[in-house]
Amino acid sequence: LPNVGKLIAKLNSIQKKHGGVLFLSENVVFKDFDDISQCYGKLEPIRLDAKDFSPCKRSRFYWCNIPVDTEKYTNVASQVSVDYDGILDPGSGLLERLVYDCDEHFTVKTVKANTFLASLSKIDDDRMLKCSTGDCGRTNIKLEHYSVGERERMMGFPPSYVSEPLQNLFNEITTCAILQPETSADGKTYRDFMDKRFWHLRKKLKLQHYPKALEPYFEIGIATPIENKQKLAFFTEEQYSKHLIGMGFSICVVEALLEGLVDLFAK
């Protein structure tokens, strides 16, 4: 709530200075939201679920002063099967779909992936499972967690939108801030190898090292400086990608909410 309060205060300040500022604020679904609605000028939240727009679930509250056709977008249960071609990685299928397809009474069933979460303990829990595409009834079906690419596609992000920048960041820290300075014969430091844009990260980030079978035989885990917790959560590159996706907006829902801008600016 303190962060929400700061956001609302900032919005009020901008409104007083400029006027007519459009905003869109998102939060998880919770019970006692009256105080926040009062701060937004008695603006009631719109509750939308990504499952009505995309292959994955994500029920959220949205406060916005942009015209939204609420009848069109609220409580619209999807009744059609989801086409996962091009969404899941090759050879993968939905675990729920496998269960339903094995039952003669459920030949067609709408199935959506569970909400992607952000905390380290939940990014790869049992709700994030998929299976290999094999015949029903086989005992050697392999269970895996949704990959970063699958999560990006389900949330509506462009290919590698999250994974590529993080790959570059982790490579920069691993190679230029650790390996090259540590193996330098003439006493060079990370400042001699690392892109200057990342210098501040070398001091602010908390790092852990984990053994790895392939070169360079270790990988790093990062805890961000904004954690502000006594016990920090350290994320590897793949985990951090899933962490960020778990905190992200569903692009399909945002597009629906911002659709009213087209008519608004046309006027």
Side-chain angles (χ1 to χ4, degrees), residues 190-205:
Y190 71 91
R191 293 174 181 265
D192 297 299
F193 302 102
M194 198 175 192
D195 190 313
K196 194 172 183 179
R197 294 174 301 166
F198 302 127
W199 281 9
H200 67 289
L201 296 177
R202 181 64 181 85
K203 291 185 176 181
K204 289 184 178 180
L205 289 180

Side-chain angles (χ1 to χ4, degrees), residues 72-89:
K72 180 179 179 181
Y73 292 125
T74 55
N75 300 319
V76 185
S78 177
Q79 297 297 322
V80 297
S81 297
V82 181
D83 182 5
Y84 279 89
D85 291 340
I87 297 293
L88 295 181
D89 294 336

Side-chain angles (χ1 to χ4, degrees), residues 42-113:
K42 298 181 180 181
L43 186 66
E44 290 292 312
I46 301 170
R47 182 173 180 175
L48 293 180
D49 195 328
K51 71 179 179 61
D52 299 324
F53 305 84
S54 68
C56 63
K57 303 171 184 175
R58 198 172 193 81
S59 183
R60 293 291 185 269
F61 276 154
Y62 296 91
W63 284 268
C64 68
N65 60 351
I66 302 166
V68 178
D69 187 347
T70 55
E71 292 185 2
K72 180 179 179 181
Y73 292 125
T74 55
N75 300 319
V76 185
S78 177
Q79 297 297 322
V80 297
S81 297
V82 181
D83 182 5
Y84 279 89
D85 291 340
I87 297 293
L88 295 181
D89 294 336
S92 298
L94 291 174
L95 189 60
E96 294 91 339
R97 174 75 68 185
L98 176 71
V99 174
Y100 283 117
D101 286 349
C102 288
D103 192 323
E104 295 179 357
H105 300 289
F106 296 94
T107 55
V108 177
K109 178 69 177 180
T110 299
V111 175
K112 302 296 177 81

